[in-house]
């Protein structure tokens, strides 16, 4: 379908509208010439920002997931807009027939609830919240298979792989969790990683790096939690797990390469030796747009690459001794079961403690490792059990931090 033959607008629920991905998603909606509309916006605490966004995008429903957030900024909107307070507000908003696609952009394990409800209702889930798959990849993929819900990648690396995979099967083929077929044409996926701000920092200095240094990502502008995850490479660990579930490949077929320029967003090597990569500026609006438009190519707000300048694109195998999170990610991807929930919970607590100045940067991965090592592994936990294990792991991580 051409750009001028606009179909009915696709109605998007933007979960985490006040965050970095949420804002990029709203930029994409604003630039879509009415092809996309914001039907639902959610925030956790930033109600003044949510009110401002609601004034611009006129959604039918707002959800404020923290029931104790300041409600005053939304008082006037309550006359014209349905407003839910509390996390359970997500359930109705996401599964409403007024929603076509759910952009899951809440940060952390808190994002799982919206992802789950979206797939349960058979919706298309444009997934930025990788923690959903880290926590409950097996259950979410099973749910999507049952309801016909689809998971489309928003994470730039997984979007790049999705695009590269279109070279070995029709681009318009239905996409869902797991590869159609067994993925036998694929030799490996290669996730690229910028290496973060400490790629070349002597290991002994990591004890003393400041929060401001860790938040100064060299190429991407993102929310605080994922920026710290990028510095520790826990983000890449989570992406290995995410790829394992999205593409149904074993972790041995998922490699990582350091690519400091963040222009190559990831690659697929096929069994004939061909390597297909996707390149572009580091701008999340491109993968978001692709997911919201079901892989259709349209003009959008992301700036194209500047081809007038000479560039060097480096690809460097990672030093896994420097970044132990990578092997941790492979281990969790291989084990599945309860491992992801436990590591994710420990990581959230450790990152928050680092940001609050309570632990040094170099302890974050160690705490995740220790919690995983002490955890009684369960192969097939239910969703309720995963939430319980998440709570327990958070308490244990707090105890490690207080020690
Ligand atoms: P931000 O911190 O910028 O935004 C987080 C959003 O989640 C905000 O809208 C926030 O609301 C909301 N939120 C926070 N806590 C809760 C909670 N307990 N319950 C419900 N909502 C909550 O994060 P990012 O946009 O950077 O990241 C969002 C997700 O996307 C993460 O999973 C991240 O890994 C992933 N991602 C991000 C990328 C990026 O470029 N930023 C790239 C690829 C993936 P409020 O503002 O009101 O507190």
């Amino acid at each position: 379908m051409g750009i001028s033959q606009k179909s009915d607008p696709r109605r998007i629920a933007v979960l985490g509208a006040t965050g970095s991905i949420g804002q990029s998603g709203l930029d994409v909606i604003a630039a879509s010439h009415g092809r996309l509309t914001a039907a639902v916006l959610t925030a956790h605490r930033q109600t003044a920002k949510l009110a401002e966004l609601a004034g611009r995008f006129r959604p039918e429903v707002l959800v404020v997931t923290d029931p104790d957030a300041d409600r005053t900024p939304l008082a006037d909107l309550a006359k014209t807009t349905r407003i839910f307070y509390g996390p359970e507000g997500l359930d109705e908003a996401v599964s409403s027939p007024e929603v076509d696609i759910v952009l899951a952009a809440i940060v952390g394990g808190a994002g799982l609830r919206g992802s789950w409800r979206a797939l349960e209702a058979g919706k298309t889930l444009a997934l930025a919240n990788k923690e959903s798959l880290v926590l409950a990849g097996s259950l979410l993929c099973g749910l999507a298979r049952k309801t016909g819900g689809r998971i489309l990648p928003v994470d730039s690396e997984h979007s790049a792989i999705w695009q590269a995979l279109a070279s070995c099967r029709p681009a318009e083929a239905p996409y869902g969790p797991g590869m159609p077929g067994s993925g036998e044409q694929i030799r490996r996926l290669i996730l690229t990683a910028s290496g973060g701000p400490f790629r070349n920092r002597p290991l002994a200095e990591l004890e003393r790096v400041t929060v401001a240094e860790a938040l100064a990502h060299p190429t991407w502008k993102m929310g605080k939690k994922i920026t710290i995850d990028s510095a520790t490479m826990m983000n890449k660990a989570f992406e290995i797990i995410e790829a394992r579930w999205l593409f149904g490949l074993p972790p041995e077929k998922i490699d990582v390469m350091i690519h400091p320029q963040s222009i190559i967003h990831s690659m697929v090597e096929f069994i004939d030796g061909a390597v297909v990569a996707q390149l572009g500026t580091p701008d999340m609006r491109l993968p978001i747009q692709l997911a919201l438009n079901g892989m259709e190519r349209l003009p959008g707000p992301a700036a194209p690459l500047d081809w007038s300048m000479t560039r060097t694109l480096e690809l460097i195998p990672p030093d896994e001794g420097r970044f132990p999170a990578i092997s941790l990610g492979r281990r969790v991807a291989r084990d599945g079961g309860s491992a992801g929930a436990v590591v994710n919970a420990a990581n959230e607590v450790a990152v928050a403690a680092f940001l609050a100045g309570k632990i040094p940067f170099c302890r974050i991965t160690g705490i995740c490792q220790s919690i995983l090592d002490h955890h009684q592994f369960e192969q097939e936990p239910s969703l309720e059990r995963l939430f319980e294990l998440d709570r327990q792991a958070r308490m244990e991580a707090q105890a490690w931090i207080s020690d």
Side-chain angles (χ1 to χ4, degrees), residues 202-214:
L203 283 178
E205 286 182 22
L206 292 185
E207 184 79 24
R208 293 187 299 278
V209 297
T210 65
V211 169
E213 285 176 302

Side-chain angles (χ1 to χ4, degrees), residues 15-24 42-47 49-50 64-66 87 90 104-111 127-132 154-157 220-227 229 235 238-239 242 284:
L15 313 189
T18 46
S20 162
I21 291 286
Q23 295 278 299
S24 295
T42 87
H44 193 52
R45 293 197 64 79
Q46 294 198 71
T47 45
K49 194 165 174 182
L50 185 66
V64 178
T65 41
D66 182 348
L90 286 174
I106 287 173
V107 65
L127 186 69
N129 177 259
K130 61 193 88 187
E131 294 93 339
S132 287
V154 164
D155 219 352
S156 56
E157 294 78 0
W220 291 96
K221 201 170 170 333
M222 309 179 284
K224 283 185 180 176
K225 192 251 178 191
I226 186 176
T227 304
D229 287 348
N235 184 47
F238 286 178
E239 288 176 4
E242 184 181 9
M284 286 306 296

Side-chain angles (χ1 to χ4, degrees), residues 21-70:
I21 291 286
Q23 295 278 299
S24 295
L26 289 171
D27 281 356
V28 168
I29 292 171
S32 72
H33 302 285
R35 192 184 164 99
L36 308 171
T37 60
V40 174
L41 300 181
T42 87
H44 193 52
R45 293 197 64 79
Q46 294 198 71
T47 45
K49 194 165 174 182
L50 185 66
E52 188 259 313
L53 294 173
R56 274 174 51 211
F57 289 91
R58 309 244 163 246
E60 280 133 49
V61 175
L62 296 174
V63 181
V64 178
T65 41
D66 182 348
D68 300 324
D70 178 12

